[in-house]
Amino acid sequence: MAKQELKRDLKNRHVQLIAIGGTIGTGLFLGSGKAIQLAGPSILFSYLIIGIALFFVMRALGELLLSNAGYASFTEFATEYVGPWAGFVTGWTYWFCWIMTAMADIIAVGVYMQYWFDIPQWIPALICLVILLGLNLLTVKLFGELEFWFAIIKVITIIALIVVGIILLIIGFNTNSGTVSLTNLWNHGGMFPNGISGFLLSLQLVVFSFVGVELVGVSAAETANPRKNIPSAINKIPVRILLFYVGALFVILCVNPWTQLDATSSPFVEVFALIGIPVAAGIINFVVLTSAASACNSGLFSTSRILYTLSRNGEAPAKLEKLNKQAVPSNALLTSTIVVSIGALLSKLIPEQAFTVVTTISAICFIWVWSIILISHIKYSKTRPDLRAKSTFKAPFTPFVNYAILGLFLFILIVMLFAEATRLSLLLTPIWFILLVILYNSRKKYS
């Protein structure tokens, strides 16, 4: 009996906006406040360094995906070039990454809704989850539409911030914190006010901000024209990083001295409030609400496709490979949703420190996924020079840049070991990999 296949229903605009949505998340809207407090204005360099590194990771991912039209995701080329264990561990780790992220985001939806409605946060969280499940069960095209509009909201907000900030900069607008000026970048302790240590500690938070950039790879199997759409989306990543991250934070730091920003709130809210927009908090609350819903939507999509791929490869129960009439992996989608909903219900009982631990573990696991992509690309370049030679989307500076980025990732992990806030997460994460290795070595083939 022929295997069921995913539909290639994602159009170019869907892939472009999935790529944008993947590079703009709650890490930018909410997490950037804490990162700025750690690094000061040097946070701009942190985003540039990690952004450039992940662009090369994505170029490697793009070349690998286009080298074989049969690849549904990066777990398949990890299996081929690194080994079956790598595909198994990376597939389940990626699923775990997004489950953790989706749990955090669905709880965030509940928290944001409390801004308008005085109801327990788990109610809107579960309602949102059920709505997203229903929409995802229909068609992959609908997922693309959802992400398209979610991303549009993010883009409009950031562009509005940049435009308003530039106008304030040009006219020398006076706020309660002083004059809007370029000098705010260096007049409050210099570009590195907390020294090199503050800059290095911000790298982990910046890594978490970029979680989801590889979603273009997950959507490859459902892209109508991957040879055109995937390179187009990947090549635009540097522009998006410069505009949405570096551009937005540059404006924020010019409008408001970094010393005046609150680590626990969104710097976006503070900037709009400074310029006298009375509904600023409500506007940004709506944006971060849609951002959290978008991240959870992406989480459900990616985890269901990873489970589908694992099942198709015999590394997860066979029932998870089943597609519904709309060619959506419904059993895999339901399974992921149930796990996320359990986490949503339990998360309200977990202290704030546990939330930090979960999100940090997620970031560490994403470093694993990105590293496997780089290692697979090195192996591919060495063992398949024939495919490399005829590739129309060659990753530049291979393999030197691969080794350099792997070294950067290792360095970030070492920094996390010495940082009190992230040390526990780093020490707990190996437990997940040990469990996967045990499962891989002891499992029976599913049928």
Side-chain angles (χ1 to χ4, degrees), residues 41 181-192 250 253-254 258:
S181 170
L182 287 172
T183 59
N184 284 332
L185 291 172
W186 56 80
N187 275 356
H188 303 273
M191 291 296 290
F192 292 83
F250 173 82
L253 291 168
C254 287
W258 75 271

Side-chain angles (χ1 to χ4, degrees), residues 57-68:
V57 173
M58 291 301 295
R59 284 298 303 259
L61 173 62
E63 182 177 357
L64 285 165
L65 285 173
L66 296 177
S67 71
N68 184 338

Side-chain angles (χ1 to χ4, degrees), residues 160-173 180 251 255 275:
L161 171 86
I162 293 172
V163 170
V164 170
I166 290 172
I167 293 171
L168 298 181
L169 191 59
I170 292 171
I171 66 175
F173 188 81
V180 177
V251 166
V255 171
I275 60 179

Side-chain angles (χ1 to χ4, degrees), residues 218-393:
V218 179
S219 63
E222 293 162 274
T223 301
N225 188 353
R227 293 202 173 275
K228 176 185 176 183
N229 297 339
I230 290 176
S232 176
I234 290 173
N235 282 337
K236 289 174 183 173
I237 286 175
V239 175
R240 288 167 184 152
I241 290 168
L242 285 172
L243 176 64
F244 298 129
Y245 281 98
V246 179
L249 292 174
F250 173 82
V251 166
I252 286 170
L253 291 168
C254 287
V255 171
N256 217 13
W258 75 271
T259 52
Q260 301 295 317
L261 294 171
D262 186 353
T264 60
S265 64
S266 170
F268 285 76
V269 176
E270 296 184 53
V271 168
F272 278 110
L274 271 174
I275 60 179
I277 300 178
V279 293
I283 293 171
I284 299 301
N285 195 71
F286 175 74
V287 171
V288 294
L289 171 64
T290 59
S291 181
S294 169
C296 186
N297 191 41
S298 297
L300 294 181
F301 174 84
S302 57
T303 52
S304 63
R305 271 53 179 183
I306 287 292
L307 284 183
Y308 166 82
T309 303
L310 287 168
S311 178
R312 195 172 73 162
N313 294 339
E315 295 171 338
K319 289 183 179 180
L320 297 178
E321 188 183 358
K322 181 183 177 182
L323 301 180
N324 63 15
K325 292 179 181 179
Q326 289 74 35
V328 172
S330 51
N331 287 347
L333 185 59
L334 285 165
T335 300
S336 292
T337 304
I338 289 168
V339 177
V340 172
S341 67
I342 292 171
L345 290 170
L346 293 176
S347 291
K348 66 176 182 177
L349 304 174
I350 298 175
E352 197 171 319
Q353 181 61 32
F355 177 84
T356 304
V357 169
V358 167
T359 53
T360 306
I361 289 175
S362 177
I364 296 167
C365 290
F366 270 104
I367 288 178
W368 167 275
V369 172
W370 297 332
S371 298
I372 286 293
I373 292 170
L374 291 170
I375 293 168
S376 298
H377 188 254
I378 292 170
K379 294 275 190 177
Y380 150 85
S381 301
K382 287 181 178 178
T383 60
R384 295 303 305 269
D386 54 323
L387 292 179
R388 172 82 175 156
K390 63 182 182 182
S391 172
T392 57
F393 192 57

